[in-house]
Amino acid sequence: MHSAPGLPTPDDATATEPAPAGSAPPGAAPEGHSPAGATATTGVPMTASPDPAAALSIRDLRKSFAGTEVVHGISLDVPRGSFYGIVGPNGAGKTTALSMATGMLRPDAGTAHVLGTDMWAGPAQAKSDLGVLADGLRTFDRLTGRELLTYVGLIRGMEADVVADRLESLLTAFDLADEDGKLVVDYSAGMTKKILLACALIHAPRLLVLDEPLEAVDPVSAQVIRSILTAYVKGGGTVVLSSHVMELVEGLCSHVAVIARGELLAAGTLDEVRQGGSLVQRFIDLVGGGQVQEEGLAWLQS
């Protein structure tokens, strides 16, 4: 893998994570919803079996809050070795869908498989192959970065000497080695994103799922994160990145899916989805909106 010296690669992973309690969710869609086959540009048919060759394979994921369904049967395959962008407007259901796919939120229906392992039937194996950076997830921020990385590595079952070696490499790669003694709660937004991404990488996962990894990040930190993620994919890893910034996805990703109003509107390679135009324009065409009603704003003009 072409990465900073000493950084764990996707093939190094050996740790496991305890399985969450509870039984697996039902795979059938709720009453009143009939899954329909998808076209070539909108993912895979909901009735298809999970793809064991995919890094992430989700089928008919659904979730309701207070009786209102917010994710409506999303099915998607993420190829291994891809840099996969999930784009959509704020409130589109991206975070909810990814939370279900990564075992952080129990779906009402549907399945998620990580490298062929059912997330809800075999969570220990699935999570050992998975690194997650969740937007807004609370952490133990009264620890230093070094202490937090040590804690995460040990709780994943890694040997102490392996944790110590990897955390030094990660702190150096993310330009955090000189921050000893500073608590994570006192980190800047960019530093916080970097230490949380380091936590997601320390066990050398084969799949990274990152929710808005560059939001509120300064340009220098953003470039460091981009470089490390690009090297990770070149070395055989797979990245799923959610964002509402089209330019970011267009510049980084090989594949993209568009989600809006809890539904998958398009999915495929970047070129397949944007259909000869820009991703921004294709996104607007799919999602709608973008028209400014100027009549009521005449008072702004001098």
Side-chain angles (χ1 to χ4, degrees), residues 68-271:
T68 300
E69 191 173 75
V70 297
V71 175
H72 311 301
I74 290 178
S75 297
L76 186 69
D77 287 328
V78 175
R80 300 192 192 203
S82 63
F83 205 134
Y84 208 109
I86 308 290
V87 300
N90 291 326
K94 304 186 303 296
T95 295
T96 301
L98 290 179
S99 294
M100 291 189 287
T102 56
M104 298 178 64
L105 179 66
R106 186 172 293 277
D108 295 334
T111 62
H113 287 72
V114 174
L115 296 157
T117 301
D118 189 316
M119 170 57 68
W120 294 97
Q125 178 59 49
K127 291 184 180 182
S128 71
D129 291 329
L130 179 65
V132 179
L133 174 60
D135 187 35
L137 184 67
R138 296 186 65 182
T139 188
F140 296 102
D141 56 9
R142 294 291 175 175
L143 301 176
T144 67
R146 185 180 301 274
E147 290 169 340
L148 181 58
L149 279 173
T150 301
Y151 170 77
V152 170
L154 293 178
I155 203 171
R156 279 191 171 272
M158 298 169 59
E159 296 293 334
D161 57 341
V162 176
V163 173
D165 180 62
R166 290 185 181 181
L167 73 84
E168 293 297 340
S169 299
L170 287 164
L171 290 173
T172 299
F174 283 105
D175 196 25
L176 294 171
D178 295 332
E179 300 298 334
D180 276 355
K182 179 180 286 190
L183 301 181
V184 173
V185 71
D186 296 323
Y187 278 13
S188 67
M191 292 167 62
T192 300
K193 289 283 188 180
K194 289 191 291 185
I195 196 63
L196 294 180
L197 181 54
C199 289
L201 283 167
I202 194 166
H203 64 298
R206 297 163 64 193
L207 170 64
L208 279 177
V209 177
L210 313 175
D211 193 5
E212 301 287 0
L214 299 179
E215 188 174 40
V217 174
D218 64 88
V220 174
S221 295
Q223 184 55 42
V224 170
I225 292 173
R226 287 191 192 97
S227 297
I228 289 175
L229 293 180
T230 300
Y232 173 83
V233 172
K234 287 181 179 178
T238 304
V239 171
V240 177
L241 174 152
S242 82
S243 180
H244 55 266
V245 181
M246 301 301 110
E247 293 82 358
L248 168 67
V249 172
E250 198 163 18
L252 279 177
C253 297
S254 59
H255 294 68
V256 65
V258 180
I259 294 177
R261 298 175 294 277
E263 298 178 346
L264 180 68
L265 302 184
T269 66
L270 183 62
D271 287 339

